[in-house]
Amino acid sequence: MSLQRTGAGYFDFYLLHGIGEDNIINFDRYGIWDYMKRLKDEGLIRHYGFSFHSTPEHLEQLLTDHPDVEFVQLQINYSDWEDHLICSRRCYEIATRHGKPVIVMEPVKGGKLADPPQAVKDILLRANPEASFASWAVRFTASLPNVMMVLSGMSNMEQMEDNLAVMRHFQPLNDEEYRVLDEATRTLQQFTGIACTSCHYCTPGCPMGIHIPEIFAVMNVYKMYGQLSEARNDYGWRPGGAKASACIQCGQCEGACPQHLPIISLLEEVVETLEK
């Protein structure tokens, strides 16, 4: 049907969308991997891969089990490079070790790195007052050796022209610019209000199935960037499972948390901020 709509005889790159721990069983159950191989054998696709939203360990297992996958799409940006939840660096290194080129999604973190907190803006402006904030983020991802493409979402002509200007005369980041982004990242981390490391010790015993680390990650987007509407939008889909308001305050999560976080009160804050 897609080929009929486009009028193309084949697709160069065919993407399996959004593979994660919650849905991988369906790819196995319905024989999607064999279906991809059949499409390729029939000449309907030239290359196939998948976009990925899960742990580095899960990515390692997927690429081991399916070595014929030809590329991986990962969320990578300088803010998430060492993030405990996204694990951009670790996932990138796993894909590279398996010889899979990487397509980057979220290089500007949904636009958040195009309009970072003022303290971050000050760091970047001191280093290069002529460069846009988004250009720093795009150049970070495009400078990675195993990146084959950077997908930057744009909503107006000005943003498109900025991206084109960066890539038309692309220069990889130099050592000093990496140092600047390290400083910017450390400054961003100071805005993170909930010190959750996403170990997930709290989640297996939750009787309500609340994905606590994912909820806290969304809340931290609000605390870091002050973008309430974006955080509420993310909260509508990203955490999965039950909302924070489903908490029955049993306390098992607080007993399991190695960071000794007051999870119950933090979930109440999420309810007041993101559910009202």
Side-chain angles (χ1 to χ4, degrees):
M1 184 64 70
S2 296
L3 287 174
Q4 291 175 2
R5 289 199 300 267
T6 61
Y10 62 88
F11 289 124
D12 285 300
F13 294 90
Y14 196 92
L15 181 77
L16 299 175
H17 179 68
I19 292 183
E21 289 180 301
D22 293 338
N23 64 8
I24 186 60
I25 187 172
N26 293 323
F27 289 83
D28 297 327
R29 176 183 296 161
Y30 297 110
I32 300 300
W33 304 108
D34 290 336
Y35 179 60
M36 290 297 100
K37 295 174 187 177
R38 187 162 68 251
L39 290 179
K40 188 174 179 180
D41 290 342
E42 293 172 358
L44 297 178
I45 61 176
R46 298 292 177 89
H47 310 281
Y48 88 93
F50 57 81
S51 58
F52 181 76
H53 298 277
S54 190
T55 64
E57 292 76 16
H58 189 203
L59 180 61
E60 179 76 55
Q61 188 63 55
L62 274 173
L63 293 180
T64 299
D65 292 345
H66 305 286
D68 51 309
V69 167
E70 295 170 272
F71 64 93
V72 181
Q73 184 169 305
L74 300 173
Q75 177 170 329
I76 298 178
N77 55 70
Y78 69 80
S79 176
D80 290 331
W81 189 241
E82 298 291 355
D83 182 85
H84 293 291
L85 180 65
I86 307 300
C87 302
S88 289
R89 177 185 58 79
R90 291 179 61 196
C91 289
Y92 168 81
E93 290 175 349
I94 288 169
T96 300
R97 190 170 66 250
H98 281 265
K100 311 303 178 186
V102 171
I103 295 176
V104 172
M105 57 182 162
E106 300 287 350
V108 196
K109 200 172 173 64
K112 296 177 179 65
L113 297 180
D115 186 24
Q118 188 59 48
V120 176
K121 291 180 179 179
D122 292 341
I123 293 169
L124 301 179
L125 287 172
R126 282 198 303 269
N128 187 345
E130 303 300 321
S132 70
F133 304 124
S135 71
W136 283 92
V138 171
R139 288 181 62 214
F140 174 83
T141 56
S143 295
L144 295 168
N146 192 39
V147 165
M148 64 180 289
M149 182 181 297
V150 178
L151 301 177
S152 176
M154 297 162 283
S155 56
N156 57 48
M157 187 65 69
E158 181 182 3
Q159 292 172 3
M160 185 178 73
E161 290 174 348
D162 182 50
N163 280 352
L164 289 173
V166 171
M167 298 308 296
R168 187 178 292 119
H169 306 289
F170 177 71
Q171 292 291 329
L173 294 173
N174 59 38
D175 290 344
E176 175 59 21
E177 289 171 322
Y178 276 117
R179 187 200 65 77
V180 170
L181 285 184
D182 284 343
E183 183 182 0
T185 302
R186 290 195 301 271
T187 302
L188 273 174
Q189 291 169 347
Q190 295 174 9
F191 289 86
T192 301
I194 302 175
C196 174
T197 62
S198 191
C199 67
H200 284 84
Y201 290 175
C202 60
T203 53
C206 177
M208 306 308 294
I210 301 172
H211 295 184
I212 297 168
E214 286 75 14
I215 287 176
F216 286 169
V218 172
M219 187 64 173
N220 279 340
V221 168
Y222 164 65
K223 288 177 175 290
M224 288 174 64
Y225 300 99
Q227 298 177 346
L228 182 58
S229 61
E230 288 82 355
R232 285 177 172 169
N233 180 64
D234 287 350
Y235 185 66
W237 66 270
R238 182 176 170 185
K243 294 289 191 287
S245 54
C247 175
I248 60 173
Q249 301 187 2
C250 66
Q252 77 80 29
C253 55
E254 294 189 353
C257 179
Q259 307 301 320
H260 308 292
L261 296 177
I263 294 177
I264 292 173
S265 63
L266 289 171
L267 288 175
E268 290 175 341
E269 182 184 0
V270 170
V271 174
E272 289 298 316
T273 304
L274 302 183
E275 294 190 26
K276 296 300 184 182

